Amino acid sequence: NAGVTQTPKFRVLKTGQSMTLLCAQDMNHEYMYWYRQDPGMGLRLIHYSVGEGTTAKGEVPDGYNVSRLKKQNFLLGLESAAPSQTSVYFCASSLGSAKNIQYFGAGTRLSVL
Amino acid sequence: GESVGLHLPTLSVQEGDNSIINCAYSNSASDYFIWYKQESGKGPQFIIDIRSNMDKRQGQRVTVLLNKTVKHLSLQIAATQPGDSAVYFCAENIDTGGFKTIFGAGTRLFVKA
């Protein structure tokens, strides 16, 4: 049981490049989330999904897109990376009946130069 | 990651003492309040939660207190151990008009052996 797995762990991009962050969970959770973590600001919700084929905006969705084609996977895309998107990105998942208990991946550290 | 939390409030306690970590929240509509622990290089890990209609909840070595009058939340850790050294985040869940989890900036707990 791997829990929540994020790939890649590290990535460096140039401004304007695109990339996709992958998140996979093997706990059959309905809800999945993408957060970014910046120094002194805690975690901020980017997008979330309440089930396969559905996504919704969180607190800071601009510049990001997501897709949930399969229940176990939640993808976060950056179409045109900007230096302001330099951050640590965390994926999480939870049961729909227990949204308080979110299980987090180990994070992806992204630098945009 | 290493760069997260450089400017966080820090609480330093002696091993075996009790720790109290405080958090102020702003949203009266929050349904649940949650505490997460984040060790260096890892994602946050759920510790304990409390529903908004409760004042106190106890877990194993941890107690969460909620004071809605002054919008204050605290996490008490009994007999603090070196393994408790981490950054602790409070979070609020709001599940009306769209789901939101709002994280605080975090407090770094340092346990002296």
Side-chain angles (χ1 to χ4, degrees), chain B residues 2 85 106:
Chain B
E2 292 78 17
S85 293

Side-chain angles (χ1 to χ4, degrees), chain A residues 32 34 85:
Chain A
M32 295 187 75
W34 274 108
Q85 294 178 304

